[in-house]
Structures are given as structure tokens and as C-alpha cells.
Amino acid sequence: MRRLGIYLGARPSTISGLSGVGDTFGTCFGPLSRNRQFGYRLGKGETAEEIRASMGKSEVAEGVDTSIALVKMIKENCKGYRLDLKYPILFGMAEIIEGRMKPMEGMQKIMNFPVRMENYDERF
């Protein structure tokens, strides 16, 4: 999150504050969060299409389309080797949402990543 924010011109302190990590925590752990409910249902085996079809017309899990758009933006604008290694959670979620990977596969993939030092000041 920080790497992408810096690339887009954000200050690192913004990402680590309430509008960055704080908002993410609320989205991930809040019981009323539509993004959380969407992810929970994906984990239970429903497809993104099934979940969207069951949501009310005024309900939107904004993180769903945002994650796919971010992956597309990263692929188009960022030059680098193995971008999926720099953004494993984001790329994995997009694959799950798009139906190209099962949630259990994504979890296994991320849990098998080698332990390494992360360089947060890297410029993409």
C-alpha cells in the first residue's frame, strides 16, 4: 500500500495514518463493511458474479473494482520485473475476484512467500 501510495504522490505519513491504514483496518475488520462481506463470501466459495447479483442496487463493495483497476494501472504504468511479487495481496485478490484463482490457492501462495526484508522507500 505504501509503495503504491508513494508512486502516486502520497506522503508516507498519509498511508500510515487514519486515512490509509486506519481506513483499511475498518474495511477489513468492520462487520458492516461491504468489502469485508464480499471477501467473506468469496472465501465461502461464491463467485464475484453471484455476490454482485445478490447485492442491492445501492450496495457497492468499492474495493472489488478498485483492486482490479489498480492491478491494471500498475501493469500499464510500472516498469519492473515480477510486479506480482511487489504487490502479492493486491494481485492475488484480483485473480480471485476474476475467478482465475481459488481463495485457498491464494492463501497458500501468500503463505509460501519467502521471508524477506521489505524496502518501503522503493520508488516502484
Side-chain angles (χ1 to χ4, degrees), residues 63-102:
V64 174
D65 290 332
T66 301
S67 63
I68 293 168
L70 283 172
V71 167
K72 181 180 178 193
M73 183 199 75
I74 289 167
K75 287 179 177 179
E76 290 173 355
N77 297 299
C78 302
K79 307 299 179 225
Y81 180 72
R82 295 293 312 263
L83 293 171
D84 59 319
L85 297 178
K86 290 185 177 182
Y87 305 95
I89 296 171
L90 178 60
F91 275 61
M93 281 307 306
E95 284 187 57
I96 292 167
I97 291 165
E98 293 174 334
R100 295 184 285 123
M101 181 168 43
K102 300 273 185 218

Side-chain angles (χ1 to χ4, degrees), residues 10-67:
R11 291 189 313 249
S13 60
T14 302
I15 303 301
S16 60
L18 288 177
S19 60
V21 175
D23 185 54
T24 301
F25 284 1
T27 295
C28 293
F29 302 117
L32 301 177
S33 166
R34 292 181 299 271
N35 288 313
R36 182 180 184 276
Q37 288 300 315
F38 198 100
Y40 179 82
R41 291 173 66 181
L42 278 174
K44 288 289 195 181
E46 291 182 69
T47 66
E49 293 77 26
E50 292 169 337
I51 299 167
R52 282 185 171 132
S54 71
M55 294 175 79
K57 294 199 184 289
S58 64
E59 291 184 303
V60 176
E62 64 279 350
V64 174
D65 290 332
T66 301
S67 63

